[in-house]
Amino acid sequence: MPERPRGSSDAGQTRRRGAALEDAILRAAADELTEAGFSRLTMDKVATRAGTNKNALYRRWPNRLTLAIAAYRRLATTVQPPDTGSLRSDVLEWLRRANRYWSSPQGAILRELLAAAGGATELLAQLQEQSGDAAAAPWLTILGRAIARGEASPEALHPRVATIAMTLLRNEFVVRGAPSAPDEVLIEIVDEVYLPLVRGRSAPPA
Amino acid sequence: MPERPRGSSDAGQTRRRGAALEDAILRAAADELTEAGFSRLTMDKVATRAGTNKNALYRRWPNRLTLAIAAYRRLATTVQPPDTGSLRSDVLEWLRRANRYWSSPQGAILRELLAAAGGATELLAQLQEQSGDAAAAPWLTILGRAIARGEASPEALHPRVATIAMTLLRNEFVVRGAPSAPDEVLIEIVDEVYLPLVRGRSAPPA
DNA sequence: AGATTTACGGTACTGAACGTACCCTAATTG
DNA sequence: CAATTAGGGTACGTTCAGTACCGTAAATCT
């Protein structure tokens, strides 16, 4: 049997299986997600786009949401936190990036998925890598540097405290439904909450 | 034509209209909501339960979610914030009540609605009276008293700061999907975040 | 009171999707 | 080269949202 020459489209010449097919499906789902969002992603469209049918999808993922989450994960990219030499500008910059992300089409998808997952803990856990716990690491990095510079109190190196700025920002989106948070809000979060908090009960204001 | 005698059920004696019917529908919807939750609330069931049909519903509310939110609002009750004489115990108590609410069946409904509303700002606004902005008032009350007692700095009397404990708690539910927050988490929020923050940059730790 | 307008109630239907069942056939495995 | 596994095609079964009509009771007008 010869190799499978390919057109630009995903429609398979030969019958794909296993990882190759799974990959095509996830790619198709990710595309649907970016083009139409989760609410308009249908299993039939994903299947057609991947050049297969719903059977192949349901054989791998138990339902629409699970598939969508799996597809979303390959959209996510990792970025390095800033290191400007000042806590305030690091925090503000990181917050601005987060704001841009949540405001972006991808952020909208994340919000949809978060909403659709409702209270389903296992599913939420998969999204948290993007939106929650794993996202704590950069904050700890930023804060760790600031502590080394004496800009923050060591007691602040606590996940709940370190990530509070992001939590407040996410709150703007999730609860207020804002398409994007104004820069004033970010500044307010930094100056009224974050910095006072991490400078700590011991360290005097710089 | 004589009156039409009827059974004990809600099925109308005579043909109801206007406010009377609207009321019956909202009551039926609220009942469905508490018994089955939003995801299993169907327009047909609500209509049947109210002794009417979908027409009457769609004539008043454009869709299922809007009706559900309207129905939810009559489930919500208002409570007075505690006044124990100490900021820490006021905050902790209020947070515990909030935790109980979010953990309760009603809280589950609120979470479902919040999720279903997604980014629909106008709808979210209606729920915020229960979960967000209007809920800020009690926090300001508690904090105001504490400031009068000298337990907190006046600068803390700022909505974003005053409500931060509740925001963090809500975050536990919305993002982590926890059915209920452990008491340790509440205490941590109060001691690691709330109190340090509102005691402020000027006031020394008591 | 009688005529007119408004709004309920009954019922049927469309359309969108999810999820499932079956059966044939291509790929892989032994 | 047989046996097994996994894809592909296709057709359903179901559940609901939302819509469309139409006859009739209740309110409103004259």
Side-chain angles (χ1 to χ4, degrees), chain B residues 103-130:
Chain B
S103 314
S104 75
Q106 266 194 42
I109 296 167
L110 178 56
R111 285 192 264 169
E112 265 190 296
L113 294 177
L114 234 30
T121 326
E122 330 81 58
L123 296 177
L124 284 170
Q126 310 210 10
L127 289 171
Q128 247 151 42
E129 291 173 27
Q130 267 78 44

Short mmCIF file of all heavy atoms in Angstrom, two decimals, chain B residues 103-130:
data_model
loop_
_atom_site.label_atom_id
_atom_site.label_comp_id
_atom_site.label_asym_id
_atom_site.label_seq_id
_atom_site.Cartn_x
_atom_site.Cartn_y
_atom_site.Cartn_z
N SER B 103 -23.65 26.44 49.34
CA SER B 103 -23.66 24.97 49.43
C SER B 103 -25.07 24.41 49.40
O SER B 103 -25.25 23.21 49.19
CB SER B 103 -23.01 24.50 50.73
OG SER B 103 -21.81 25.16 50.97
N SER B 104 -26.03 25.25 49.66
CA SER B 104 -27.41 24.76 49.75
C SER B 104 -27.99 24.50 48.38
O SER B 104 -27.42 24.90 47.37
CB SER B 104 -28.25 25.82 50.45
OG SER B 104 -28.50 26.90 49.56
N PRO B 105 -29.12 23.80 48.34
CA PRO B 105 -29.79 23.59 47.06
C PRO B 105 -30.04 24.90 46.32
O PRO B 105 -29.84 24.97 45.10
CB PRO B 105 -31.12 22.95 47.47
CG PRO B 105 -30.83 22.27 48.76
CD PRO B 105 -29.80 23.11 49.44
N GLN B 106 -30.43 25.91 47.06
CA GLN B 106 -30.64 27.20 46.40
C GLN B 106 -29.36 27.75 45.80
O GLN B 106 -29.36 28.34 44.72
CB GLN B 106 -31.19 28.22 47.40
CG GLN B 106 -32.68 28.29 47.39
CD GLN B 106 -33.16 29.54 48.13
OE1 GLN B 106 -32.59 30.62 48.00
NE2 GLN B 106 -34.20 29.36 48.92
N GLY B 107 -28.27 27.57 46.52
CA GLY B 107 -26.99 28.02 46.00
C GLY B 107 -26.64 27.29 44.72
O GLY B 107 -26.10 27.87 43.78
N ALA B 108 -26.98 26.00 44.69
CA ALA B 108 -26.71 25.22 43.49
C ALA B 108 -27.48 25.81 42.31
O ALA B 108 -26.97 25.89 41.19
CB ALA B 108 -27.09 23.76 43.71
N ILE B 109 -28.70 26.21 42.57
CA ILE B 109 -29.50 26.81 41.50
C ILE B 109 -28.85 28.10 41.03
O ILE B 109 -28.71 28.35 39.83
CB ILE B 109 -30.93 27.09 41.99
CG1 ILE B 109 -31.63 25.78 42.32
CG2 ILE B 109 -31.72 27.86 40.95
CD1 ILE B 109 -32.92 25.97 43.09
N LEU B 110 -28.46 28.90 41.99
CA LEU B 110 -27.81 30.16 41.62
C LEU B 110 -26.58 29.89 40.75
O LEU B 110 -26.36 30.56 39.74
CB LEU B 110 -27.40 30.93 42.88
CG LEU B 110 -26.66 32.24 42.64
CD1 LEU B 110 -27.46 33.18 41.76
CD2 LEU B 110 -26.34 32.92 43.97
N ARG B 111 -25.82 28.89 41.14
CA ARG B 111 -24.63 28.57 40.33
C ARG B 111 -25.02 28.13 38.94
O ARG B 111 -24.39 28.52 37.95
CB ARG B 111 -23.83 27.47 41.02
CG ARG B 111 -23.07 27.98 42.22
CD ARG B 111 -22.08 26.94 42.69
NE ARG B 111 -22.60 26.13 43.77
CZ ARG B 111 -22.01 25.02 44.21
NH1 ARG B 111 -20.91 24.59 43.62
NH2 ARG B 111 -22.52 24.35 45.21
N GLU B 112 -26.05 27.33 38.84
CA GLU B 112 -26.50 26.90 37.51
C GLU B 112 -26.90 28.11 36.66
O GLU B 112 -26.55 28.19 35.49
CB GLU B 112 -27.73 26.00 37.65
CG GLU B 112 -27.44 24.52 37.66
CD GLU B 112 -28.74 23.73 37.54
OE1 GLU B 112 -29.58 23.84 38.47
OE2 GLU B 112 -28.94 23.04 36.53
N LEU B 113 -27.64 29.00 37.25
CA LEU B 113 -28.11 30.16 36.50
C LEU B 113 -26.95 31.05 36.09
O LEU B 113 -26.90 31.53 34.96
CB LEU B 113 -29.13 30.95 37.33
CG LEU B 113 -30.43 30.22 37.63
CD1 LEU B 113 -31.33 31.06 38.53
CD2 LEU B 113 -31.17 29.88 36.34
N LEU B 114 -26.05 31.24 37.03
CA LEU B 114 -24.87 32.05 36.73
C LEU B 114 -24.13 31.46 35.54
O LEU B 114 -23.70 32.17 34.63
CB LEU B 114 -23.97 32.04 37.97
CG LEU B 114 -23.50 33.36 38.59
CD1 LEU B 114 -24.49 34.48 38.38
CD2 LEU B 114 -23.22 33.17 40.07
N ALA B 115 -24.00 30.14 35.55
CA ALA B 115 -23.29 29.47 34.46
C ALA B 115 -24.06 29.63 33.16
O ALA B 115 -23.50 29.97 32.12
CB ALA B 115 -23.10 28.00 34.78
N ALA B 116 -25.38 29.41 33.23
CA ALA B 116 -26.18 29.47 32.01
C ALA B 116 -26.22 30.88 31.43
O ALA B 116 -26.32 31.06 30.22
CB ALA B 116 -27.59 28.97 32.28
N ALA B 117 -26.14 31.87 32.30
CA ALA B 117 -26.19 33.24 31.81
C ALA B 117 -24.92 33.56 31.03
O ALA B 117 -24.91 34.45 30.20
CB ALA B 117 -26.37 34.21 32.96
N GLY B 118 -23.86 32.82 31.33
CA GLY B 118 -22.63 33.04 30.59
C GLY B 118 -22.22 34.48 30.68
O GLY B 118 -22.05 35.02 31.76
N GLY B 119 -22.07 35.11 29.57
CA GLY B 119 -21.65 36.50 29.58
C GLY B 119 -22.78 37.48 29.39
O GLY B 119 -22.55 38.65 29.15
N ALA B 120 -24.01 37.00 29.48
CA ALA B 120 -25.15 37.89 29.20
C ALA B 120 -25.32 38.90 30.33
O ALA B 120 -25.94 38.63 31.35
CB ALA B 120 -26.41 37.07 29.02
N THR B 121 -24.75 40.05 30.09
CA THR B 121 -24.65 41.05 31.15
C THR B 121 -25.97 41.42 31.78
O THR B 121 -26.07 41.53 33.01
CB THR B 121 -23.99 42.31 30.58
OG1 THR B 121 -23.03 41.92 29.61
CG2 THR B 121 -23.31 43.08 31.70
N GLU B 122 -26.99 41.61 30.95
CA GLU B 122 -28.26 42.08 31.52
C GLU B 122 -28.82 41.03 32.47
O GLU B 122 -29.37 41.35 33.53
CB GLU B 122 -29.30 42.34 30.44
CG GLU B 122 -28.76 42.77 29.10
CD GLU B 122 -28.28 41.59 28.27
OE1 GLU B 122 -29.07 40.68 28.00
OE2 GLU B 122 -27.08 41.56 27.91
N LEU B 123 -28.68 39.78 32.09
CA LEU B 123 -29.20 38.72 32.94
C LEU B 123 -28.38 38.59 34.21
O LEU B 123 -28.92 38.43 35.29
CB LEU B 123 -29.21 37.40 32.17
CG LEU B 123 -30.14 37.41 30.96
CD1 LEU B 123 -30.04 36.10 30.22
CD2 LEU B 123 -31.57 37.65 31.41
N LEU B 124 -27.08 38.67 34.04
CA LEU B 124 -26.22 38.57 35.21
C LEU B 124 -26.58 39.67 36.21
O LEU B 124 -26.56 39.45 37.41
CB LEU B 124 -24.76 38.71 34.80
CG LEU B 124 -24.15 37.49 34.14
CD1 LEU B 124 -22.80 37.83 33.56
CD2 LEU B 124 -24.03 36.36 35.14
N ALA B 125 -26.90 40.83 35.68
CA ALA B 125 -27.19 41.95 36.56
C ALA B 125 -28.34 41.60 37.50
O ALA B 125 -28.33 41.97 38.67
CB ALA B 125 -27.55 43.18 35.72
N GLN B 126 -29.31 40.87 36.97
CA GLN B 126 -30.45 40.52 37.81
C GLN B 126 -30.06 39.57 38.92
O GLN B 126 -30.67 39.56 39.98
CB GLN B 126 -31.53 39.87 36.96
CG GLN B 126 -31.86 40.68 35.74
CD GLN B 126 -33.29 40.49 35.33
OE1 GLN B 126 -34.08 39.91 36.05
NE2 GLN B 126 -33.62 41.00 34.17
N LEU B 127 -29.07 38.76 38.63
CA LEU B 127 -28.65 37.82 39.66
C LEU B 127 -27.70 38.47 40.64
O LEU B 127 -27.54 38.03 41.77
CB LEU B 127 -27.97 36.62 39.01
CG LEU B 127 -28.91 35.71 38.25
CD1 LEU B 127 -28.13 34.67 37.48
CD2 LEU B 127 -29.86 35.02 39.22
N GLN B 128 -27.09 39.52 40.19
CA GLN B 128 -26.12 40.16 41.05
C GLN B 128 -26.75 40.70 42.32
O GLN B 128 -26.11 40.77 43.36
CB GLN B 128 -25.42 41.28 40.32
CG GLN B 128 -23.97 40.93 40.11
CD GLN B 128 -23.44 41.58 38.88
OE1 GLN B 128 -23.73 42.73 38.63
NE2 GLN B 128 -22.66 40.86 38.12
N GLU B 129 -27.99 41.07 42.20
CA GLU B 129 -28.64 41.54 43.41
C GLU B 129 -28.52 40.50 44.51
O GLU B 129 -28.45 40.81 45.68
CB GLU B 129 -30.11 41.83 43.14
CG GLU B 129 -30.26 43.04 42.24
CD GLU B 129 -31.71 43.25 41.82
OE1 GLU B 129 -32.59 42.83 42.58
OE2 GLU B 129 -31.93 43.82 40.75
N GLN B 130 -28.50 39.24 44.07
CA GLN B 130 -28.38 38.19 45.08
C GLN B 130 -26.91 37.84 45.35
O GLN B 130 -26.55 37.54 46.46
CB GLN B 130 -29.09 36.91 44.59
CG GLN B 130 -30.51 36.82 45.07
CD GLN B 130 -31.42 37.72 44.24
OE1 GLN B 130 -31.31 37.75 43.03
NE2 GLN B 130 -32.30 38.46 44.88
#
